[in-house]
């Protein structure tokens, strides 16, 4: 299934995408796509519903983040060998973990607002994992049992805040609009082999990032298991899993985003995003 939420920001309604690419309204069945709606049992009940029996949504509404009230927005850094090399960082022996503020989450086509004075706003196409049931101290062998599905994410970053302002990376990762998620949450049964998905990102039509989840250093089961050793993963938690090469930071000279740029990106089977970059207050 492809699950989504549509409508104005803060007023989104739940929906699913039918076989013809049309949005069907799920409000009567689930109210909203909250974390408790992501359990294996709840997803199975939705999967048993005939989309043709659901109301058809007319027009082209705004698409929001496909999960309401995300509890935690976790991130893995330097998870592709070639990206670590372009960043001038050593290949990690364990996953590099940081947090993105949940307040940065927005819809996949919402504008990216650069924070005041930003000169180093950057982009990162990433696979996102959505947790479906509570997980703590889970094994790698069982880790996928705790996954509800996958999403496309742009891990927008302000590199000066991230690298030059002291302390953790979190400072450059959690600004408002720095977490576009969606357009859909695709359940794992529909994705198939999550370690074989092509990824791409362009800026103003120029090719920037091309990659595949097959070149991850740490696979999805490894990351879910690893994180569960340090914290309880809850339904609705989102884990963004690192980016392939081609980010602005890695170019020589670096090539960061500026007001007026248009970023387009997507992941095979998970849909595409489009963001216009704007200055704060514009």
């Amino acid at each position: 299934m492809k699950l989504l939420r549509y409508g104005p920001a803060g007023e989104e309604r739940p929906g699913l995408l039918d076989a013809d690419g049309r949005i069907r309204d799920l409000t009567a069945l689930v109210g909203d796509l909250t974390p408790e709606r992501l359990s294996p049992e709840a997803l199975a009940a939705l999967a048993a519903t005939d989309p043709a029996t659901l109301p058809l949504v007319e027009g082209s509404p705004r698409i929001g983040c496909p999960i309401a009230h995300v509890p935690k927005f976790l991130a893995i850094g330097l998870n592709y060998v070639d990206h670590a090399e372009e960043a001038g960082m050593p290949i990690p022996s364990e996953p590099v973990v940081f947090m993105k503020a949940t307040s940065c989450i927005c819809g996949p086509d919402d504008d990216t607002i650069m924070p005041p004075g930003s000169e180093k706003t950057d982009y990162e196409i990433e696979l996102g994992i959505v947790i479906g049931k509570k997980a703590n101290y889970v094994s790698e062998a069982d880790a996928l049992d705790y996954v509800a599905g996958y999403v496309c994410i742009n891990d927008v970053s302000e590199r000066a805040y991230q690298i030059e302002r002291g302390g953790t990376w979190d400072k450059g990762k959690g600004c408002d609009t720095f977490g576009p998620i969606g357009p859909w949450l695709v359940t794992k049964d529909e994705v198939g082999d999550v370690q074989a998905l092509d990824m791409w990102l362009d800026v103003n039509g120029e090719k920037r990032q091309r990659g595949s989840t097959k070149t991850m250093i740490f696979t999805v089961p490894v990351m879910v298991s690893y994180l569960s050793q340090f914290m309880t993963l809850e339904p609705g938690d989102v884990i963004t899993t690192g980016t392939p090469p081609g980010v602005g930071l890695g170019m020589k000279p670096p090539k960061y985003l500026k007001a007026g740029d248009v970023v387009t990106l997507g992941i095979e089977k998970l849909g595409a995003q489009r963001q216009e970059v704007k200055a704060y207050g514009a």
Side-chain angles (χ1 to χ4, degrees):
M1 288 184 296
K2 293 182 175 72
L3 301 172
L4 57 94
R5 296 170 67 246
Y6 69 95
E11 302 175 15
E12 293 93 345
R13 296 166 65 93
L16 64 78
L17 207 68
D18 68 18
D20 297 316
R22 300 174 300 181
I23 299 174
R24 298 283 181 165
D25 186 81
L26 285 173
T27 306
L29 293 183
V30 298
D32 203 351
L33 290 171
T34 53
E36 59 268 22
R37 301 295 183 183
L38 302 177
S39 70
E41 297 78 14
L43 291 177
L46 281 180
T49 303
D50 180 0
T53 65
L54 301 171
L56 185 64
V57 177
E58 301 292 346
S60 301
R62 170 190 173 271
I63 303 298
C65 172
I67 308 111
H69 314 305
V70 172
K72 292 192 291 295
F73 196 179
L74 299 157
I76 306 295
L78 303 174
N79 196 27
Y80 290 73
V81 173
D82 34 13
H83 173 57
E85 290 172 345
E86 75 171 354
M89 304 286 282
I91 305 303
S93 58
E94 295 188 35
V96 175
V97 180
F98 61 94
M99 306 283 281
K100 286 179 74 77
T102 55
S103 55
C104 82
I105 293 172
C106 61
D109 301 329
D110 290 347
D111 294 337
T112 293
I113 308 300
M114 297 188 299
S118 169
E119 295 182 352
K120 296 183 179 180
T121 295
D122 208 349
Y123 51 82
E124 296 187 12
I125 172 68
E126 303 202 1
L127 170 77
I129 305 166
V130 180
I131 298 299
K133 63 179 182 178
K134 184 177 178 179
N136 55 335
Y137 307 115
V138 303
S139 68
E140 291 178 20
D142 294 335
L144 290 182
D145 294 341
Y146 297 84
V147 173
Y150 303 98
V151 289
C152 179
I153 294 176
N154 186 358
D155 176 20
V156 186
S157 310
E158 213 300 338
R159 301 301 190 187
Y161 295 6
Q162 176 188 354
I163 300 168
E164 302 168 21
R165 299 289 294 271
T168 66
W169 289 3
D170 304 45
K171 292 178 184 178
K173 296 287 189 171
C175 300
D176 290 353
T177 74
F178 274 24
I181 300 178
W184 319 302
L185 162 59
V186 184
T187 52
K188 61 186 177 183
D189 59 297
E190 188 165 327
V191 172
D193 184 1
V194 71
Q195 302 300 159
L197 303 178
D198 290 334
M199 314 164 71
W200 62 274
L201 183 145
D202 297 344
V203 178
N204 302 326
E206 175 190 344
K207 291 182 180 180
R208 293 289 182 91
Q209 291 189 275
R210 295 294 185 272
S212 170
T213 57
K214 67 184 178 183
T215 64
M216 282 182 175
I217 299 169
F218 305 107
T219 63
V220 169
V222 169
M223 287 182 281
V224 172
S225 174
Y226 184 84
L227 287 168
S228 79
Q229 312 305 310
F230 300 99
M231 67 192 80
T232 297
L233 299 177
E234 303 168 297
D237 282 353
V238 175
I239 306 164
T240 192
T241 60
T243 196
V247 300
L249 172 68
M251 294 186 173
K252 295 180 175 41
K255 199 169 184 178
Y256 297 113
L257 296 172
K258 61 185 183 301
D261 284 346
V262 176
V263 181
T264 52
L265 60 145
I267 300 178
E268 181 183 0
K269 299 182 181 180
L270 302 184
Q273 301 186 357
R274 180 186 186 279
Q275 295 109 33
E276 295 185 27
V277 180
K278 295 185 177 180
Y280 182 81

